């Protein structure tokens, strides 16, 4: 199935392989953009679409795994499908541990690749969704005052207002007020929701 | 007696006649004054003949003054005629002597004796009749001569006749005496005259001569002078005056004045010589130094004076010259010194020098001869050489030889160095070297003999012979093949080992027969090299296949030889060996084979290390093929089919497949157990091929792989596979060394360049762990490795490959860490060095 809102990126230094894989994906209805090296990819301007990355492990300069690490470091959560001519077990384990979608050895079957791409795109969509949600939440979080932040952190731990007041050295009343403001700023309908939000935002006391 | 009147008248007539005759006779001396004796005798004879009517009258005058006696005879005319007639008849038969002589002969018997003793009768030699003779002596004692009157008349001589005869005799005597005296007087006078004339002539001549001499003396180019009988100089020529600077008056003033020109040391001798010569009248000769006024130098002169005497032997003058003999004396001195030197040379010569005359006697005997033969010079001189130095058994031969030479001029032992046995004092015989040179001296021969005692050298010869024998035994026993050759390169000796090995005989191998031993393909090179070495003296070494009899095969042998030089550095002889190295060569070959195998194993193992890379290499095109295949069928299943994309996919398939096969080919070459192939190799291409093999490995280990390849690098001659193996090995080593690092830099650099010695230089530089100091010297040693699975043959094999290509491989530390492996190879063609190195980017 082809989704016009998706794009598949491919990085491989071997032009034949690049072209062949791109063509294969193209014939399967995917939008593909290819790059000759990791650096090229990093420097490119990427459209804001669901995307996944097919990455050759053995790349000159910045290797595939390096790129994976770098993307992770720079917060780019793009699902990666690794391709390798080597088939080294430790390598694949490392890649998977770091969150790769798939680790394929060349030569691979078309089916293997397509399934992996689909999975990857799906993950990316999901991820994007998740991220946008989280960014909204984060926006809301930023509206909180520091006191409200503190209250939030303690509320989601399950503490009673009275306890929280005691913790913070203020009255329960004050706490109740803060709590109310937090709930409304965050847009949480219930405590459970707030907790879920806090989890997502990784808020801690 | 009866006297008749006729008789008396006859008598008176006779007496008158007698007196007349007597008167005539008394008148005779007057006629005779100033006359010659013969004239006187003549007159007498005539007178007597006439007066007395003699038949014969003979006169003999004894000589005075050593002359022959004068004999004269007169015959009566009748007798004359008869005589004439007679003599005419007799003339033919006899030799006619002077008639007087004949008579004298006849009368001789009685001549000289007292006339009284004479017989009264005598036979007439002419007429044959008897003659009465009357001999009379002339002079008081008959010392003047005799006169003999003869007549055939029986009554001869009568008294009157006797009287006339005696008076005539007396008159004649007087006359003769007078004549004699006169003649004597005349003689004396003429003698005196003659003498005076002669004397005058002599004096005139002497004077003339003197004048002439003086004239000559004046002009001859020597100092000349004359002295009076007392030694006083009376004439000195110009030459003298100029030479000595003395004035004539000065010289004449004193007999010894001129001596002041003589060197003081010589004056006494000169003076005594001078006076001795003058006084003895014999003249003198002396040598003295005279002062030359021109430069004051004293020069040797020879002064000689000869005496001039007159007819009586009285000294007229001394005539002399002084000749400058200084140069002569100098050269005499020189000659003397040269002689002395020659003599010294002969004396001190190492050879005994003996000279011999043509009688075989020793005429000179030098010091060495004294030493050699034990006879002193005094003992030897004069003795027969044969007796002194020739052993007894050869003496006769020597004599014969000498004689033969003197007769024929030929001598077999002459003018040549010969060795003979000589004998010294005491009889001991010893060997000598002898040379005899004959020299012709005027009419005779002199022989110079040069003799050298060669006992010692003969001993040395013996020793040498013994040494040679020893050496020969040695060379025959040594268990190696030995040979020797002359300085010209002709083999002159092979020991038995050679003969046993090759099965050839010594004669066949002499000279240049050794060529027969060699394999035909090797003869040319060996012979050419041999000739070159013989000329230059360079050591000879060549590997050739030599025939071995045992298995009738040609086996590889090393022929080598070295020259023996004399003190001047000239080649005297060549000594050589032949060593069978066939087995060794075989072993070398086996080793080479083993090495090739090992290299192959190494290649395979290296390849083994690269399996991951190889797999990757192949998997790339494979995945492209499969992907393209899938996409192609997908495009074709489209509705409508997308043929363009399908076609594109297909071409990608083909491309990828080709790539894959290339890789396989490359790998196959490396895996093959190839024999070494030499070709022109482009190192940059080799490096790039290697890079393509290893770059994935490098990437996998996050190693930055870079090349700096000099584009104009010349090709090298060698085996491509092997050279690639080297680079592969070095690159893999580098990668492994870096792989273990957990920090930057992680870099592998491969460079190619041209060194400034014109070699191709390839460097593989890594930033890895480097070479530990303790391993540094074992790096290239076989079976040394730090890798757990390594067999440690990689670097040794690399080195042997590089060295087999005529290059060298070495490692150095890299800064700040790591190692650099360099190897240099000779290029096939010279190339000029560029100004700067270009830089290429990271490899693909």
């Amino acid at each position: 199935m082809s989704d016009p809102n998706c794009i598949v990126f491919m990085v491989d230094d071997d032009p034949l392989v690049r072209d062949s894989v791109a063509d294969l994906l193209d014939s399967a209805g995917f939008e593909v953009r290819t790059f000759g090296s990791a650096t090229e990819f990093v420097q490119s301007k990427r459209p804001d679409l669901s995307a996944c990355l097919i990455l050759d492990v053995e790349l000159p300069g910045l290797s595939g795994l390096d790129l994976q690490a770098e993307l992770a470091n720079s917060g780019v959560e793009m699902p990666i499908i690794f391709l390798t001519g080597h088939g080294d077990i430790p390598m694949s384990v490392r890649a998977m541990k770091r969150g790769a979608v798939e680790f394929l050895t060349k030569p691979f079957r078309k089916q293997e690749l397509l399934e992996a791409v689909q999975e990857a795109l799906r993950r990316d969509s999901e991820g994007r969704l998740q991220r946008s949600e989280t960014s909204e939440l984060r926006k809301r979080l930023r509206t909180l005052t520091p006191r409200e932040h503190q209250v939030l952190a303690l509320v989601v731990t399950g503490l009673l207002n009275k306890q929280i007041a005691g913790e913070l050295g203020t009255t329960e009343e004050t706490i109740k007020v803060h709590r109310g403001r937090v709930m409304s700023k965050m847009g949480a309908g219930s405590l459970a929701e707030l907790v879920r939000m806090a989890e997502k935002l990784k808020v801690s006391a | 007696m009866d006297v008749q009147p006729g008789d008396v008248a006859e008598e008176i007539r006779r007496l008158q006649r007698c007196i007349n005759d007597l008167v005539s006779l008394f008148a005779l001396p007057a006629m005779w004054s100033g006359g010659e004796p013969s004239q006187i005798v003549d007159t007498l004879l005539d007178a007597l003949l006439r007066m007395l009517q003699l038949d014969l009258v003979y006169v003999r005058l004894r000589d005075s003054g050593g002359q022959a006696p004068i004999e004269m005879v007169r015959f009566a005319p009748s007798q004359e005629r008869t005589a004439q007639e007679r003599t005419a008849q007799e003339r033919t038969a006899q030799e006619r002597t002077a008639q007087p002589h004949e008579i004298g002969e006849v009368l001789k018997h009685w001549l000289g004796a007292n006339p009284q003793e004479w017989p009264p009768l005598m036979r007439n030699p002419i007429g044959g009749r008897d003659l009465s003779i009357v001999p009379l002596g002339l002079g008081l004692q008959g010392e003047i001569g005799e006169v003999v009157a003869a007549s055939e008349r029986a009554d001869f001589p009568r008294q009157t006749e006797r009287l006339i005869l005696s008076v005539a005799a007396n008159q004649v005597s007087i006359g003769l005496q007078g004549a004699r005296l006169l003649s004597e007087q005349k003689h004396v006078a003429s003698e005196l005259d003659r003498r005076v004339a002669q004397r005058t002539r002599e004096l005139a001549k002497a004077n003339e001569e003197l004048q002439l001499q003086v004239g000559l003396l004046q002009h001859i180019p020597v100092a000349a002078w004359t002295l009076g009988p007392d030694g006083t100089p009376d004439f000195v020529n110009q030459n003298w005056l100029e030479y000595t600077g003395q004035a004539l008056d000065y010289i004449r003033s004193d007999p010894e004045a001129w001596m002041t020109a003589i060197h003081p040391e010589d004056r006494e001798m000169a003076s005594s010589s001078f006076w001795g010569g003058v006084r003895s009248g014999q003249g003198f000769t002396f040598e003295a130094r005279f002062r030359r006024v021109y430069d004051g130098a004293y020069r040797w002169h020879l002064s000689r004076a000869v005496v001039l005497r007159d007819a009586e032997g009285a000294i007229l003058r001394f005539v002399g010259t002084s000749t400058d003999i200084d140069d002569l004396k100098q050269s005499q001195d020189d000659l003397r010194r040269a002689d002395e030197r020659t003599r010294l040379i002969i004396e001190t010569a190492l050879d005994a020098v003996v000279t011999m005359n043509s009688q075989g006697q020793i005429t000179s005997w030098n010091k060495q001869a004294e030493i050699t033969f034990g006879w002193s010079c005094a003992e030897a001189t004069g003795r027969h050489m044969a007796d002194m130095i020739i052993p007894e058994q050869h003496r006769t031969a020597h004599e014969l030889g000498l004689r033969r030479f003197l007769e024929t001029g030929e001598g077999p032992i002459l003018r040549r160095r010969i060795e003979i046995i000589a004998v010294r004092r005491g009889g001991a015989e010893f060997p000598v070297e002898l040379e005899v040179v004959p020299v012709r001296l005027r009419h005779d021969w002199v022989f110079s003999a040069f003799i050298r005692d060669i006992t010692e050298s003969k001993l040395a010869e013996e020793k040498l012979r013994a040494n040679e024998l020893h050496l020969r035994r040695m060379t025959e026993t040594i268990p190696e093949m030995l040979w020797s050759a002359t300085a010209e390169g002709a083999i002159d000796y092979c020991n038995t080992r050679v003969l046993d090995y090759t099965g050839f005989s010594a004669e066949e191998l002499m000279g240049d027969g050794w060529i027969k031993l060699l394999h035909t393909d090797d003869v040319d090179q060996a012979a050419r090299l041999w000739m070159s070495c013989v000329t230059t003296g360079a050591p000879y070494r060549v590997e050739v296949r030599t025939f071995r009899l045992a298995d009738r095969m040609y086996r590889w042998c090393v022929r080598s030889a070295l020259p023996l030089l004399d003190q001047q550095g000239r080649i005297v002889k060549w000594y050589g060996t032949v060593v069978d190295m066939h087995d060794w060569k075989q072993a070398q070959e086996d080793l080479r084979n083993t090495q090739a195998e090992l290299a192959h194993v190494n290649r395979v193992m290296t390849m083994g290390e690269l399996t991951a890379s190889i797999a990757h290499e192949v998997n790339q095109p494979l995945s492209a093929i499969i992907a393209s295949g899938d996409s192609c069928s997908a495009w074709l299943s489209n509705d409508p089919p997308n043929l363009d994309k399908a076609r594109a996919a297909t071409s990608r398939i083909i491309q990828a497949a080709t790539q894959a096969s290339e890789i396989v080919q490359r790998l196959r070459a490396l895996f093959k157990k190839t024999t070494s192939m030499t070709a022109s190799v482009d190192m940059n291409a080799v490096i790039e091929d290697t890079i393509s093999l290893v770059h994935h490995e490098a990437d996998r280990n996050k190693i930055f792989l870079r090349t700096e390849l000099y584009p104009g690098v010349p090709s090298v001659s060698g085996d491509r596979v092997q050279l690639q193996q080297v680079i592969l090995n070095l690159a893999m080593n580098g990668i492994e060394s870096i792989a273990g690092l957990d920090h930057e830099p992680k870099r592998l650099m491969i460079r190619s360049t041209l060194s400034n010695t014109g070699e191709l230089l390839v460097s593989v530089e890594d930033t890895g762990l480097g070479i530990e100091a303790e391993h540094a010297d074992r790096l290239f040693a076989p079976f040394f490795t730090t890798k757990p699975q390594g067999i440690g043959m990689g670097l040794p094999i690399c080195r042997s490959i590089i060295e087999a290509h005529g290059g060298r491989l070495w490692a150095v530390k890299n800064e700040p860490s790591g190692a650099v492996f360099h190897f240099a190879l000779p290029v096939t063609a010279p190339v000029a060095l560029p100004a700067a190195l270009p830089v290429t980017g990271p490899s693909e």
Side-chain angles (χ1 to χ4, degrees):
Chain A
M1 64 185 158
S2 52
D3 188 345
N5 294 328
C6 302
I7 188 162
V8 179
F9 297 115
M10 174 158 189
V11 181
D12 194 319
D13 61 326
D14 188 330
L16 261 178
V17 171
R18 216 167 44 232
D19 293 345
S20 303
V21 169
D23 191 54
L24 180 64
L25 290 169
D26 185 21
S27 73
F30 289 99
E31 182 79 28
V32 187
R33 201 174 300 175
T34 61
F35 301 92
S37 70
T39 323
E40 211 182 300
F41 171 73
V42 161
Q43 286 169 350
S44 69
K45 272 227 156 34
R46 292 187 290 281
D48 191 16
L49 296 168
S50 276
C52 71
L53 178 60
I54 301 176
L55 193 49
D56 183 19
V57 172
E58 289 84 30
L59 288 174
L62 208 59
S63 74
L65 293 172
D66 289 338
L67 184 56
Q68 181 191 38
E70 199 172 296
L71 288 173
N73 285 346
S74 44
V76 176
E77 290 173 26
M78 194 184 296
I80 299 174
I81 299 164
F82 278 107
L83 296 179
T84 181
H86 274 153
D88 186 306
I89 293 176
M91 194 193 287
S92 67
V93 165
R94 206 161 46 242
M96 294 309 288
K97 272 194 177 167
R98 290 207 190 132
V101 171
E102 190 55 83
F103 197 92
L104 298 172
T105 54
K106 297 177 193 170
F108 44 81
R109 299 291 354 250
K110 160 177 161 183
Q111 206 49 49
E112 283 179 313
L113 183 65
L114 289 175
E115 278 174 11
V117 167
Q118 275 170 349
E119 174 60 29
L121 284 174
R122 191 196 57 76
R123 273 204 211 173
D124 192 53
S125 297
E126 236 181 65
R128 288 175 70 85
L129 198 64
Q130 285 263 345
R131 274 192 299 279
S132 72
E133 277 181 11
T134 311
S135 86
E136 180 58 40
L137 282 177
R138 214 168 268 128
K139 229 180 3 192
R140 290 178 197 168
L141 187 68
R142 271 197 288 278
T143 62
L144 293 179
T145 66
R147 198 41 149 200
E148 285 163 357
H149 213 277
Q150 282 175 311
V151 169
L152 174 62
L154 289 169
V155 163
V156 296
T157 60
L159 287 180
L160 295 171
N161 290 350
K162 199 186 333 209
Q163 287 160 316
I164 295 166
E167 274 282 334
L168 295 175
T170 184
T171 64
E172 193 181 339
E173 217 27 66
T174 321
I175 297 302
K176 259 197 190 156
V177 170
H178 284 315
R179 190 177 169 144
R181 276 206 211 113
V182 166
M183 292 290 282
S184 101
K185 278 187 183 174
M186 292 305 289
S190 63
L191 177 63
E193 222 179 305
L194 192 66
V195 169
R196 270 200 299 277
M197 283 180 192
E199 265 179 37
K200 278 200 185 134
L201 292 168
K202 298 190 179 48
V203 170
S204 59
Chain B
M1 185 169 58
D2 266 355
V3 176
Q4 309 283 327
D7 292 332
V8 170
E10 184 63 37
E11 193 75 29
I12 295 166
R13 258 200 314 278
R14 237 185 264 137
L15 284 169
Q16 271 180 328
R17 234 199 340 264
C18 177
I19 291 166
N20 287 344
D21 290 334
L22 284 172
V23 170
S24 310
L25 285 173
F26 283 123
L28 275 179
M31 274 175 34
W32 288 344
S33 67
E36 286 285 317
S38 53
Q39 196 189 0
I40 295 170
V41 169
D42 224 20
T43 328
L44 173 71
L45 291 172
D46 281 337
L48 285 178
L49 206 68
R50 183 177 44 79
M51 282 177 207
L52 302 178
Q53 317 240 295
L54 296 168
D55 287 307
L56 179 130
V57 64
Y58 169 87
V59 168
R60 191 175 84 125
L61 294 181
R62 287 210 198 128
D63 97 292
S64 64
Q67 289 168 352
I70 299 172
E71 291 172 292
M72 296 181 80
V73 75
R74 279 286 144 80
F75 290 97
S78 58
Q79 294 290 344
E80 277 278 344
R81 243 176 297 147
T82 321
Q84 278 178 354
E85 281 166 19
R86 190 103 189 271
T87 57
Q89 285 169 3
E90 289 173 2
R91 209 166 283 160
T92 51
Q94 296 172 358
E95 196 179 9
R96 296 291 297 163
T97 54
Q99 275 194 11
H101 225 72
E102 274 187 356
I103 307 295
E105 278 297 310
V106 173
L107 297 174
K108 200 162 77 166
H109 301 287
W110 304 285
L111 284 175
N114 195 337
Q116 318 307 346
E117 291 167 23
W118 284 47
L121 286 174
M122 191 190 84
R123 180 139 292 251
N124 183 356
I126 298 168
R129 307 240 305 270
D130 285 335
L131 293 169
S132 300
I133 58 172
V134 177
L136 290 160
L138 296 172
L140 284 170
Q141 277 92 32
E143 76 276 5
I144 295 175
E146 289 92 14
V147 60
V148 179
S151 171
E152 286 172 3
R153 276 183 289 119
D155 62 350
F156 181 82
R158 283 191 271 229
Q159 261 187 318
T160 51
E161 286 171 332
R162 257 195 217 278
L163 180 68
I164 288 172
L165 279 169
S166 66
V167 167
N170 286 339
Q171 291 298 92
V172 162
S173 302
I174 294 166
L176 284 174
Q177 270 170 353
R180 198 163 275 181
L181 261 170
L182 198 65
S183 130
E184 271 189 32
Q185 273 180 355
K186 252 199 224 164
H187 188 73
V188 168
S190 76
E191 186 64 26
L192 207 65
D193 269 343
R194 192 186 61 76
R195 278 213 192 152
V196 166
Q198 190 182 19
R199 195 90 175 115
T200 317
R201 259 199 320 278
E202 278 177 2
L203 279 173
K205 190 144 179 251
N207 243 349
E208 204 181 280
E209 273 178 21
L210 203 65
Q211 290 312 313
L212 191 65
Q213 277 162 13
V214 165
L216 284 173
L217 286 180
Q218 207 48 288
H219 292 108
I220 56 177
V222 280
W225 33 264
T226 62
L227 313 171
D230 65 347
T232 314
D234 57 7
F235 167 76
V236 174
N237 81 347
Q238 197 59 30
N239 200 294
W240 174 275
L241 297 176
E242 282 175 7
Y243 194 94
T244 57
Q246 293 170 342
L248 196 56
D249 294 331
Y250 168 74
I251 295 169
R252 284 200 186 132
S253 64
D254 186 287
E256 294 205 336
W258 62 273
M259 289 191 197
T260 54
I262 302 180
H263 194 287
E265 289 170 16
D266 303 331
R267 245 176 246 167
E268 201 178 303
M269 176 275 305
S271 175
S272 70
S273 247
F274 176 81
W275 287 119
V278 165
R279 283 177 194 142
S280 69
Q282 294 183 339
F284 53 82
T285 303
F286 65 81
E287 291 178 11
R289 281 165 286 180
F290 282 80
R291 190 172 164 282
R292 182 166 66 180
V293 74
Y294 150 73
D295 58 358
Y298 281 97
R299 289 175 69 79
W300 282 98
H301 279 71
L302 176 68
S303 292
R304 307 178 70 166
V306 293
V307 69
L308 264 186
R309 290 179 190 272
D310 62 14
E312 266 87 57
I315 297 171
L316 276 176
R317 262 191 181 76
F318 291 96
V319 181
T321 56
S322 289
T323 318
D324 185 329
I325 55 160
D326 200 275
D327 295 329
L328 182 66
K329 235 179 150 51
Q330 190 62 44
S331 43
Q332 266 178 6
D333 274 344
D334 293 342
L335 193 67
R336 212 186 348 265
R337 250 175 271 134
D339 267 348
E340 186 57 36
R341 254 201 307 275
T342 310
R343 196 188 63 80
L344 250 150
I345 287 169
I346 291 179
E347 267 306 303
T348 59
L350 293 174
D351 281 3
V353 181
V354 174
T355 62
M356 180 181 89
N357 63 18
S358 55
Q359 276 79 51
Q361 294 165 319
I362 293 170
T363 50
S364 85
W365 185 266
N366 78 339
K367 187 111 192 85
Q368 192 60 34
E370 289 184 342
I371 296 170
T372 306
F373 294 102
W375 302 99
S376 75
C377 182
E379 288 170 322
T381 315
R383 301 274 301 274
H384 270 85
M385 193 170 95
D387 296 337
M388 302 298 283
I389 68 179
I390 298 176
E392 211 174 307
Q393 59 267 35
H394 300 313
R395 277 181 205 156
T396 353
H398 164 86
E399 288 297 319
L400 288 171
L402 175 65
R403 216 171 300 148
R404 175 149 157 241
F405 174 75
L406 292 171
E407 288 166 18
T408 65
E410 287 169 38
I413 70 156
L414 296 175
R415 299 187 196 92
R416 291 179 11 236
R417 285 225 140 214
I418 60 168
E419 282 186 20
I420 62 166
I421 304 295
V423 67
R424 59 164 60 96
R425 185 182 203 155
E429 294 186 357
F430 61 100
V432 295
E433 221 175 49
L434 167 73
E435 190 175 349
V436 180
V437 179
V439 175
R440 190 148 183 87
L441 207 67
R442 276 176 244 127
H443 306 293
D444 206 357
W445 287 96
V446 165
F447 301 90
S448 299
F450 300 89
I451 305 150
R452 183 179 295 195
D453 182 347
I454 54 169
T455 321
E456 266 194 42
S457 72
K458 275 244 172 284
L459 275 169
E461 248 181 64
E462 257 317 300
K463 213 192 239 171
L464 191 71
R465 241 192 304 275
N467 268 349
E468 265 202 43
L469 194 65
H470 174 74
L471 191 72
R472 190 51 52 93
R473 255 185 266 134
M474 199 164 69
T475 61
E476 287 302 319
T477 318
I478 288 175
E480 287 294 341
M481 292 190 270
L482 305 172
W483 53 272
S484 72
T486 64
E488 290 77 41
I491 305 285
D492 61 0
Y493 168 69
C494 287
N495 74 348
T496 5
R497 307 249 163 242
V498 176
L499 308 177
D500 290 342
Y501 184 92
T502 62
F504 282 70
S505 72
E507 291 77 42
E508 286 173 294
L509 297 178
M510 292 297 124
D512 55 5
W514 57 278
I515 290 176
K516 299 185 201 121
L517 293 173
L518 308 186
H519 192 283
T520 27
D521 294 345
D522 301 330
V523 168
D524 220 19
Q525 181 210 8
R528 226 176 309 125
L529 186 65
W530 177 236
M531 269 304 113
S532 152
C533 288
V534 163
T535 320
T536 63
Y540 173 67
R541 193 184 189 284
V542 66
E543 291 178 16
V544 286
R545 279 160 290 184
T546 309
F547 184 77
R548 183 165 79 166
L549 179 67
D551 48 7
R552 302 202 74 84
M553 288 192 61
Y554 284 94
R555 289 171 65 82
W556 282 101
C557 293
V558 178
R559 290 181 70 85
S560 55
L562 286 174
L564 178 69
L565 305 174
D566 67 7
Q567 286 194 328
Q568 280 80 40
R570 289 186 297 245
I571 299 170
V572 171
K573 222 164 156 75
W574 285 89
Y575 290 105
T577 60
V578 180
V579 178
D580 183 325
M581 40 94 88
H582 192 84
D583 297 332
W584 177 86
K585 225 171 158 69
Q586 197 63 52
Q588 284 294 97
E589 182 132 349
D590 293 342
L591 184 67
R592 247 196 305 281
N593 289 340
T594 308
Q595 276 180 339
E597 289 254 7
L598 207 60
H600 172 73
V601 166
N602 171 263
R603 270 202 302 279
V604 171
M605 290 195 64
T606 313
M607 287 295 103
E609 288 161 32
L610 278 175
T611 27
S613 298
I614 294 167
H616 180 271
E617 277 294 308
V618 172
N619 281 335
Q620 290 285 91
L622 271 180
S623 58
I625 290 166
I626 292 173
S628 295
D630 279 337
S631 65
C632 181
S633 63
W635 291 122
L636 288 174
S637 322
N638 257 18
D639 190 19
N642 190 332
L643 294 175
D644 286 334
K645 292 232 166 147
R647 264 193 289 271
T650 316
S651 79
R652 276 200 305 274
I653 290 168
I654 293 164
Q655 243 186 300
T658 313
Q659 213 177 60
S661 79
E662 271 172 20
I663 290 163
V664 168
Q665 259 174 16
R666 247 186 272 143
L667 290 174
R668 196 188 290 139
L670 280 172
F671 272 108
K672 247 195 337 195
K673 210 196 271 193
T674 53
T675 51
S676 179
M677 282 207 322
T678 309
S680 191
V681 174
D682 175 6
M683 278 312 282
N684 284 352
V686 171
I687 291 170
E688 282 179 1
D689 273 357
T690 316
I691 293 294
S692 73
L693 282 173
V694 303
H695 90 270
H696 288 281
E697 190 67 23
D699 291 343
R700 199 163 67 84
N701 289 289
K702 302 229 212 59
I703 297 168
F704 182 45
L705 186 56
R706 192 186 146 112
T707 59
E708 268 181 22
L709 303 179
Y710 172 49
V713 88
S715 48
V716 296
S717 172
D719 185 305
R720 197 181 198 283
V721 168
Q722 289 184 355
L723 290 172
Q724 186 167 9
Q725 183 179 351
V726 170
I727 296 175
L728 194 56
N729 248 307
L730 296 177
M732 286 303 292
N733 283 353
I735 288 170
E736 277 167 33
S737 160
I738 299 170
L741 287 185
D742 55 2
H743 61 81
E744 288 297 314
K746 292 166 107 177
R747 206 172 45 239
L748 185 75
M749 166 92 90
I750 302 184
R751 280 198 195 86
S752 75
T753 180
L754 200 60
S755 78
N756 45 14
T757 51
E759 291 169 305
L760 174 67
L761 201 58
V762 172
S763 314
V764 177
E765 182 184 312
D766 68 68
T767 57
L769 299 167
I771 308 162
E772 282 167 40
E774 63 200 49
H775 297 144
D777 52 350
R778 288 199 287 158
L779 213 54
F780 292 98
F783 304 117
F784 169 73
T785 180
T786 52
K787 293 187 238 176
Q789 270 124 335
I791 57 164
M793 282 309 290
L795 283 178
I797 288 171
C798 287
R799 182 172 255 188
S800 72
I801 288 172
I802 295 296
E803 283 175 359
H805 281 77
R808 54 195 198 287
L809 170 65
W810 70 100
V812 292
K813 265 178 73 166
N814 194 16
E815 297 302 326
S817 63
V820 186
F821 283 79
H822 298 284
F823 67 86
L825 290 171
V827 302
T828 46
V831 170
L833 209 55
L837 279 176
V839 171
T840 58
S843 69
E844 282 285 319

